[in-house]
Amino acid sequence: MKNSDGLPEPKLLQLFDVLYDTRSVTRCAEQLGQSQPTISIWLARLREQLHDPLFVRTPVGMAPTPRADALIGPCREVLESLRRLTTHEPDFDPATALRRFRLCVSDASHITLLPQVLEHLRKVAPGIRLEAARIDGNTERALESGEADLAVGFVPWLGGGMYQQVLFAQDWVCLSSLDHPRIAGPLSLERYCTEGHVLITAGTGQKLLEAAMTRQAIERRIILELPGFLGLGAIIGTTDLIATLPRHIGETLARMHQLTVHDCPVPIEAFSVKQHWHARYHLDSGNRWLRGVILELFKRDG
């Protein structure tokens, strides 16, 4: 009897596999835990389905026919696929795992997220290799294909088939040097509009910032444009310029470069930083472990 795809039943494929190795109906019956008459009946059924004798009696045992030689490889591939389907995936052991994980992250995450993740992995998963990729128009396809494991950041355009988990909320702050000559206390809206600014052109949240400025008809005096956050801390610390940026990256740069963090005087829409993964890898043990690490490191109440 064949299944709906026209393939022999799994028990007949097992018979074919074992008989090809043992070349003996007796030993085949022993390994499969069946009687010799049962094995003979199965073999007859398999011969009928495949339209070939498959095995011929010789003085040294059951010799495979050329068609049997040609089919043994595909047969074993099918059996291995069935084994993977029915075998429970073992738990992911970070201490012994040898695997590459690819994270799609924002430019700011190179400073705020990756160092903490890498420090944790070096302690608990020394065989793990971490690779960072940009969040861009290719991110959704990369998650779906398995080219990337997670996307962490503000990625509102991701479509269906994705899971998401909120890590923390982001509002907006401003940075200035500790000894800024004109900002000694809270940053007022008037002072904000008159000071020189550094504009960061990268980052998925920048559209929210620009929309807020347009909506409130605020024109900043842009002195410097940067494609990312690299070098921003040193620039703010050694000039009288200010910058507007999400709180997480702002507070991180302030700690690294001894800068002052101000509440932003311009109302800007807040957003949530989330981790995203495709439904195809929702039950993958390694992906689940990595998501747990990210959640443990960055989840904040509220």
PDB file of all heavy atoms in Angstrom, residues 22 43 64 76 127 237 255 279:
ATOM      1  N   THR A  22      21.857  -6.000   5.359  1.00  0.00           N
ATOM      2  CA  THR A  22      22.094  -7.354   5.880  1.00  0.00           C
ATOM      3  C   THR A  22      22.205  -8.403   4.786  1.00  0.00           C
ATOM      4  O   THR A  22      22.851  -9.445   4.987  1.00  0.00           O
ATOM      5  CB  THR A  22      20.962  -7.755   6.832  1.00  0.00           C
ATOM      6  OG1 THR A  22      19.727  -7.801   6.115  1.00  0.00           O
ATOM      7  CG2 THR A  22      20.845  -6.767   7.985  1.00  0.00           C
ATOM      8  N   LEU A  43       8.264  -7.713   1.437  1.00  0.00           N
ATOM      9  CA  LEU A  43       9.167  -7.629   0.296  1.00  0.00           C
ATOM     10  C   LEU A  43       8.401  -7.823  -1.007  1.00  0.00           C
ATOM     11  O   LEU A  43       8.659  -7.128  -1.999  1.00  0.00           O
ATOM     12  CB  LEU A  43      10.279  -8.671   0.420  1.00  0.00           C
ATOM     13  CG  LEU A  43      11.311  -8.695  -0.718  1.00  0.00           C
ATOM     14  CD1 LEU A  43      11.965  -7.319  -0.880  1.00  0.00           C
ATOM     15  CD2 LEU A  43      12.370  -9.766  -0.449  1.00  0.00           C
ATOM     16  N   PRO A  64      21.393  -7.071  -4.221  1.00  0.00           N
ATOM     17  CA  PRO A  64      20.523  -6.018  -4.761  1.00  0.00           C
ATOM     18  C   PRO A  64      20.626  -5.922  -6.274  1.00  0.00           C
ATOM     19  O   PRO A  64      21.701  -6.147  -6.859  1.00  0.00           O
ATOM     20  CB  PRO A  64      21.048  -4.753  -4.086  1.00  0.00           C
ATOM     21  CG  PRO A  64      22.474  -5.047  -3.763  1.00  0.00           C
ATOM     22  CD  PRO A  64      22.528  -6.528  -3.463  1.00  0.00           C
ATOM     23  N   ARG A  76      16.986   6.289   1.878  1.00  0.00           N
ATOM     24  CA  ARG A  76      17.555   6.697   3.159  1.00  0.00           C
ATOM     25  C   ARG A  76      17.331   8.183   3.424  1.00  0.00           C
ATOM     26  O   ARG A  76      17.206   8.610   4.571  1.00  0.00           O
ATOM     27  CB  ARG A  76      19.033   6.323   3.202  1.00  0.00           C
ATOM     28  CG  ARG A  76      19.224   4.820   3.372  1.00  0.00           C
ATOM     29  CD  ARG A  76      20.645   4.348   3.247  1.00  0.00           C
ATOM     30  NE  ARG A  76      20.719   2.929   3.601  1.00  0.00           N
ATOM     31  CZ  ARG A  76      21.787   2.162   3.372  1.00  0.00           C
ATOM     32  NH1 ARG A  76      22.864   2.667   2.794  1.00  0.00           N
ATOM     33  NH2 ARG A  76      21.769   0.886   3.717  1.00  0.00           N
ATOM     34  N   GLY A 127      30.966  29.195  22.253  1.00  0.00           N
ATOM     35  CA  GLY A 127      31.023  28.720  20.877  1.00  0.00           C
ATOM     36  C   GLY A 127      30.099  29.447  19.931  1.00  0.00           C
ATOM     37  O   GLY A 127      30.042  29.122  18.740  1.00  0.00           O
ATOM     38  N   GLY A 237      30.823  66.511  23.469  1.00  0.00           N
ATOM     39  CA  GLY A 237      31.638  66.808  24.636  1.00  0.00           C
ATOM     40  C   GLY A 237      32.672  67.888  24.419  1.00  0.00           C
ATOM     41  O   GLY A 237      33.151  68.493  25.394  1.00  0.00           O
ATOM     42  N   ARG A 255      26.987  58.578  29.659  1.00  0.00           N
ATOM     43  CA  ARG A 255      27.854  57.871  30.616  1.00  0.00           C
ATOM     44  C   ARG A 255      29.256  57.691  30.047  1.00  0.00           C
ATOM     45  O   ARG A 255      30.254  57.813  30.778  1.00  0.00           O
ATOM     46  CB  ARG A 255      27.252  56.499  30.954  1.00  0.00           C
ATOM     47  CG  ARG A 255      26.016  56.562  31.836  1.00  0.00           C
ATOM     48  CD  ARG A 255      25.665  55.190  32.363  1.00  0.00           C
ATOM     49  NE  ARG A 255      25.370  54.250  31.289  1.00  0.00           N
ATOM     50  CZ  ARG A 255      24.146  54.046  30.802  1.00  0.00           C
ATOM     51  NH1 ARG A 255      23.124  54.738  31.269  1.00  0.00           N
ATOM     52  NH2 ARG A 255      23.955  53.167  29.836  1.00  0.00           N
ATOM     53  N   ALA A 279       7.589  33.496  12.118  1.00  0.00           N
ATOM     54  CA  ALA A 279       6.840  32.358  12.667  1.00  0.00           C
ATOM     55  C   ALA A 279       7.502  31.023  12.319  1.00  0.00           C
ATOM     56  O   ALA A 279       7.357  30.046  13.062  1.00  0.00           O
ATOM     57  CB  ALA A 279       5.405  32.380  12.137  1.00  0.00           C
TER      58      ALA A 279
END
